[in-house]
Amino acid sequence: MNARAPIDERVQHERLAALARIWDNGPGWRGQLAAVNHSTVGLRFIATGFAFLLAGGMLAMFMRLQLAWFDAEVLDPRRYNQFVTMHGTTMMFLFAVPIMEGFAMYLIPKMLGSRDLPFPRLSAFGYWCYLFGGLFLYSSFLFDAAPDGGWFMYVPLTDATWSPGMGADFWLIGVTFAEVAAVTAAVELIVAILLTRAPGMDVRRMPLFAWAMLVTAFMIAFGFPPLILASVLLEIQRAFDFALFEVARGGDPLLWQHLFWLFGHPEVYIIFLPAAGVVSMVIATFARRPIVGYTWIVLATVAVGFLSFGLWVHHMFAVGLPLLALAFFSAASMAVAIPMGIQVFAWIATLWSGRPWLRVPMLYLFGFFFVFVLGGLTGVMLALVPFDWQAHDTHFVVAHLHYVLIGGLMFPLFAGLYYWLPLASGRMPSESLSRTAFWLVFIGFNLTFLPMHLTGLLGMPRRVYTYAAELGIEWLNLLSTAAGFVLAIGTLAVLIDAALSFRHGLRAGANPWRAGTLEWALPWPVPKYNFASIPQVDDRYPLWSRAALADESARADGLLGDCRHGHRELLGTGLLSAVPEQVVRISRSTWIPLLAALTIALLLACFIAKLYLPATLLLIPLAALFLAWAWTTGDRRAPARVPAGPGLELPTQYACRNAPGWWALVITLLIDGALFASLVFAYFYLWLGTGTWPPPGIGTGGWALPLLTLVLLLACFGAVQWAGRASRSAAHARGVLGWPLTVVLGAGFLAAHAASLSAPVGPPQAHAYASVVWTLAGFHGVHMVVAMLAAGYVWMRMRHGYADAARPLEPRVVAGLWRYTVGQGAVAWAVIHLFPRLV
């Protein structure tokens, strides 16, 4: 393939000007609010994440003042519980995960040799949900209703009986709203890493940060749904008196703990693995050699992702589980240290065999090694059940948590911040201020949390606003408090240093660290389109093997260099081989993501205020916004194939089997499947704790209506198969007619299913069985409604010429959604109607 065609300088200038015009965000604040470019959205995530870090840190300082001495009265018990809850919630949900996603959104396209992420509007929508979710949560202080049930919100302390105010509702709704950003980012990053790598960058040449983010994104896809489900279940119990967690009506509060920690322990590694990816990138650059054990690091990263889902009971050793289960999860908790150790030894070997260059990013990595290894050792201690029983719910666990999370996140985060700061700002940070900030952070951190191991072993409980003078630990607490302020000053110094470098730092020049990965091929200021021509690579560190690559990618005479058509385009490549397969056309700046997120925020505000009618009515403009979003995707005049470079013609994504839209559907359905599996788990968990199922007084009814619902469900499947095949063939008119038929059959299924449950099961408030059955039916009913709307949408798209046999992507996506919905419905039917009759 001839990748470049020489052009004269006039044409070169015209193409570069056209690229800048096409990819521009637009003028003024309006352009910034409507921007969807990955660099803009990524920097928003990073800046907002650091803002929440400061907010959470301020809460921590008040907590430390309260604990500085045994009779301190800085905070009363209620306010202390609120600050503990909001501090943990902020750090776990509003800082740790979003900020690393921000780094990924900013860096991944640049590392992969791409111009943007494949769904820029989805990234922008995720950011606005994150921002509004965080503000929604913090607005609880304005109503004197801040949540106070801990960042884990254990029931029954947080049900309507023991937390009757709005505090728990603010937490449940705000955190779930903010989690939309994590889930949308997971879809975005998986598809980007799989499909938009530069030609030649097969899976053996991907940057290790991209590998870390790929594994992390899959972990988010499977780890966040249990928490989302738990939050929804608890909120509907609080709002509508369901009985899922109430023992008196057949519920079980331990169900919340299982669902929460199914998310909570993978969350630790969701936080750590991106930071480990940063470590791998920085060490290779400053060791001035390729990373040692690349394949081993990749395998270890994948192993950590798998093992992390088998550790959730690690947090439940003290709840009274069988000893055999404790032994299994104890062994699994220790086993995860093996792949973690592989990565640490690979990093040490890289430094040992290289020529280390001791700059500020490396200082933070040495701090990371010291702190994280200590945190890992205490983690192995807590994996031993007898020791955990002694240290559980003490400050020893608080110290361990912070050594793992700050050691595993903050130090690599600051290393990455200083490492990539010249790329974003074009300037170098202050050497003296940055080194001073490092020592303040390192010394302040260790003097804050090292004494907590001792106070915990001496009997100081966590989440308690005071302690007895007889413990004799006031001087250790005073040391922790004083050192906490040193840590806070150091963190503030890091952020001030980074902010000042955008205006007052020394000019960095091109590739100031002499790194080898593609993001350092970009000039400064970084163009909104990143690369004028998509680079082609043949090495894991392409700038080390071909120094001319930076100049080549800045010229508009290669892949996607000709943009006379006026569209924003990405190059789509093969999943494994990274061979060019398609041209992906993406959207420009738009207000729709902001307006959709704002509408959701208003809807949730009405819900928490118990204004259920206005909340329901807001679904109408929300549906209209999402319809406008979907309708403005694609171009009815788009050809099936377009020029992609000199001598190369490729299909657009609408005509390609490996289209990003198809893979986005697959990943979204995996996430939804994890959510559904968590709900089925809840059903069977409640069944195991109940003597008879269904309980006395609740029947199963006859077979007529359940069989009718099954027949209608299977009929939907048949109609979808017919419509889908016809849409991809010459029988286009029959395909158009097939989609309305699925809508009619789907409506019949919903009516029959509701009728089959209303009489025998009764209201959901009667018993946990009724609650979980109606929740299962409602969950699938929502999917059926969405699938019906999608069928109507694709019917209109085909009638207006947006999809046809040559461009079958949209009918294929909707058919895939229907097949999943039917499959989910079959499982739900078996659980609701078949299983109770069998037992």
Side-chain angles (χ1 to χ4, degrees):
M1 179 180 66
N2 180 17
R4 316 194 77 81
I7 57 177
D8 61 44
E9 291 303 314
R10 181 184 61 81
V11 175
Q12 179 78 225
H13 178 75
E14 289 175 353
R15 288 186 176 182
L16 292 176
L19 279 170
R21 184 177 62 256
I22 292 168
W23 288 84
D24 185 50
N25 285 340
W29 62 269
R30 294 176 182 270
Q32 290 303 309
L33 287 177
V36 297
N37 179 270
H38 81 98
S39 295
T40 303
V41 174
L43 289 175
R44 283 178 186 164
F45 265 100
I46 294 170
T48 307
F50 278 128
F52 280 121
L53 169 67
L54 294 177
M58 183 178 65
L59 295 173
M61 291 301 96
F62 279 101
M63 292 156 51
R64 282 307 330 162
L65 286 172
Q66 172 61 29
L67 297 176
W69 207 255
F70 59 84
D71 59 353
E73 296 182 358
V74 177
L75 300 173
D76 60 45
R78 177 172 174 269
R79 188 66 71 185
Y80 181 84
N81 288 339
Q82 290 176 339
F83 279 29
V84 167
T85 301
M86 291 296 290
H87 167 72
T89 301
T90 300
M91 295 308 193
M92 297 297 286
F93 298 106
L94 302 180
F95 166 64
V97 175
I99 200 165
M100 294 313 299
E101 287 181 333
F103 270 81
M105 286 184 179
Y106 182 80
L107 291 169
I108 287 294
K110 297 174 174 63
M111 286 183 179
L112 300 182
S114 180
R115 287 178 173 169
D116 206 336
L117 295 166
F119 308 107
R121 290 183 292 186
L122 188 64
S123 300
F125 174 70
Y127 169 75
W128 294 117
C129 289
Y130 162 52
L131 176 64
F132 294 154
L135 294 177
F136 189 91
L137 187 60
Y138 268 84
S139 70
S140 60
F141 283 109
L142 300 177
F143 301 95
D144 194 26
D148 58 2
W151 71 274
F152 36 78
M153 295 296 285
Y154 282 170
V155 292
L157 294 177
T158 54
D159 66 19
T161 302
W162 301 102
S163 296
M166 293 191 299
D169 300 309
F170 272 110
W171 191 96
L172 295 166
I173 294 173
V175 167
T176 303
F177 191 16
E179 283 169 357
V180 172
V183 173
T184 56
V187 175
E188 183 83 89
L189 292 171
I190 290 171
V191 175
I193 294 169
L194 292 179
L195 294 182
T196 63
R197 304 191 305 275
M201 187 182 286
D202 61 34
V203 292
R204 298 165 299 176
R205 294 171 180 160
M206 279 170 48
L208 285 171
F209 182 72
W211 268 112
M213 288 310 307
L214 180 63
V215 174
T216 300
F218 273 109
M219 291 174 68
I220 290 172
F222 292 106
F224 271 63
L227 177 62
I228 293 173
L229 175 71
S231 301
V232 171
L233 294 182
L234 182 53
E235 182 57 31
I236 63 175
Q237 175 166 313
R238 290 175 56 86
F240 305 116
D241 196 30
F242 279 39
L244 293 153
F245 304 107
E246 186 178 324
V247 176
R249 290 186 285 164
D252 191 339
L254 280 184
L255 173 61
W256 170 272
Q257 288 199 38
H258 281 289
L259 292 174
F260 183 89
W261 291 116
L262 274 168
F263 146 83
H265 204 85
E267 163 86 340
V268 174
Y269 302 99
I270 287 169
I271 292 170
F272 168 73
L273 285 182
V278 172
V279 173
S280 296
M281 302 296 290
V282 175
I283 278 184
T285 295
F286 288 97
R288 294 183 283 188
R289 59 147 296 150
I291 197 80
V292 170
Y294 174 95
T295 303
W296 282 100
I297 291 177
V298 171
L299 293 175
T301 302
V302 175
V304 168
F306 274 107
L307 287 173
S308 68
F309 284 93
L311 307 180
W312 82 92
V313 176
H314 172 91
H315 299 269
M316 300 173 62
F317 284 167
V319 303
L321 297 175
L323 291 178
L324 181 61
L326 297 183
F328 171 81
F329 286 102
S330 176
S333 299
M334 288 183 278
V336 77
I338 297 172
M340 304 285 275
I342 289 172
Q343 296 182 75
V344 171
F345 282 115
W347 295 327
I348 294 173
T350 303
L351 291 172
W352 187 269
S353 59
R355 293 172 291 122
W357 185 19
L358 190 59
R359 299 297 297 271
V360 171
M362 281 302 299
L363 285 179
Y364 281 97
L365 291 194
F366 286 132
F368 155 76
F369 283 129
F370 179 83
V371 173
F372 185 73
V373 169
L374 288 180
L377 291 175
T378 56
V380 174
M381 294 167 65
L382 289 169
L384 300 170
V385 176
F387 182 83
D388 183 88
W389 283 344
Q390 301 301 316
H392 193 76
D393 271 347
T394 70
H395 267 227
F396 186 94
V397 177
V398 176
H400 159 71
L401 176 69
H402 285 82
Y403 262 82
V404 169
L405 293 183
I406 294 184
L409 171 68
M410 288 274 288
F411 281 91
L413 173 66
F414 288 158
L417 178 67
Y418 279 110
Y419 177 62
W420 282 297
L421 196 58
L423 178 65
S425 69
R427 299 175 182 270
M428 302 297 289
S430 165
E431 192 74 16
S432 59
L433 180 56
S434 56
R435 288 178 180 268
T436 302
F438 164 74
W439 288 111
L440 288 171
V441 169
F442 182 77
I443 294 172
F445 169 80
N446 283 286
L447 291 182
T448 299
F449 294 103
L450 189 61
M452 288 190 192
H453 293 94
L454 300 177
T455 58
L457 293 176
L458 291 172
M460 182 171 178
R462 61 173 173 170
R463 301 190 296 271
V464 176
Y465 81 105
T466 189
Y467 49 92
E470 290 76 16
L471 290 175
I473 55 176
E474 58 270 18
W475 289 104
L476 288 172
N477 273 307
L478 186 62
L479 173 61
S480 289
T481 298
F485 279 90
V486 175
L487 171 61
I489 292 169
T491 303
L492 195 59
V494 169
L495 300 184
I496 291 172
D497 186 24
L500 290 176
S501 72
F502 277 84
R503 282 190 172 273
H504 303 292
L506 297 174
R507 291 289 182 184
N511 194 2
W513 307 124
R514 302 192 288 277
T517 45
L518 280 179
E519 74 271 23
W520 294 105
L522 296 171
W524 194 89
V526 178
K528 289 289 188 293
Y529 51 82
N530 292 339
F531 302 94
S533 294
I534 305 303
Q536 299 182 73
V537 302
D538 54 10
D539 192 83
R540 290 174 185 161
Y541 300 91
L543 295 186
W544 287 349
S545 63
R546 186 152 56 96
L549 189 62
D551 293 332
E552 293 173 3
S553 62
R555 294 182 57 82
D557 55 2
L559 294 172
L560 299 188
D562 187 356
C563 57
R564 71 184 73 179
H565 45 70
H567 292 282
R568 294 186 180 185
E569 291 181 338
L570 314 179
L571 186 67
T573 53
L575 287 172
L576 301 178
S577 63
V579 172
E581 289 185 348
Q582 59 189 306
V583 174
V584 181
R585 291 185 169 179
I586 61 174
S587 64
R588 297 196 184 193
S589 297
T590 173
W591 285 81
I592 293 177
L594 171 57
L595 294 176
L598 187 59
T599 304
I600 295 174
L602 292 174
L603 186 155
L604 295 177
C606 290
F607 184 88
I608 201 171
K610 303 189 185 306
L611 301 173
Y612 298 130
L613 178 59
T616 304
L617 292 176
L618 280 168
L619 291 173
I620 298 173
L622 183 62
L625 284 167
F626 282 128
L627 177 62
W629 182 330
W631 196 263
T632 52
T633 301
D635 182 359
R636 76 175 77 187
R637 294 178 295 276
R641 299 181 69 85
V642 293
L648 179 65
E649 189 176 83
L650 294 172
T652 61
Q653 75 262 41
Y654 307 106
C656 183
R657 186 162 187 81
N658 247 357
W662 172 254
W663 282 103
L665 173 73
V666 171
I667 304 304
T668 302
L669 296 185
L670 285 175
I671 295 169
D672 190 83
L675 195 64
F676 180 66
S678 301
L679 184 53
V680 173
F681 166 82
Y683 176 96
F684 285 105
Y685 183 84
L686 293 174
W687 164 64
L688 287 172
T690 302
T692 57
W693 195 260
I698 297 180
T700 56
W703 274 106
L705 283 174
L707 288 176
L708 176 61
T709 62
L710 183 61
V711 169
L712 288 170
L713 190 66
L714 296 176
C716 288
F717 180 77
V720 168
Q721 291 293 95
W722 171 55
R725 281 197 300 268
S727 300
R728 297 191 301 270
S729 67
H732 189 69
R734 287 184 297 158
V736 170
L737 293 175
W739 295 111
L741 177 60
T742 62
V743 175
V744 173
L745 291 171
F749 167 83
L750 289 175
H753 204 202
S756 71
L757 295 177
S758 58
V761 175
Q765 294 81 6
H767 190 273
Y769 172 81
S771 296
V772 74
V773 164
W774 277 112
T775 304
L776 264 171
F779 184 87
H780 178 252
V782 169
H783 285 74
M784 186 63 77
V785 171
V786 171
M788 291 162 59
L789 292 173
Y793 164 80
V794 80
W795 175 63
M796 293 295 294
R797 295 283 281 186
M798 293 174 71
R799 285 176 58 87
H800 286 81
Y802 284 88
D804 50 39
R807 297 173 300 172
L809 175 61
E810 291 177 351
R812 182 171 166 239
V813 167
V814 174
L817 172 62
W818 264 101
R819 293 185 188 107
Y820 167 82
T821 302
V822 171
Q824 184 195 90
V827 174
W829 185 91
V831 171
I832 293 171
H833 296 291
L834 188 60
F835 178 76
R837 291 173 169 85
L838 294 178
V839 300

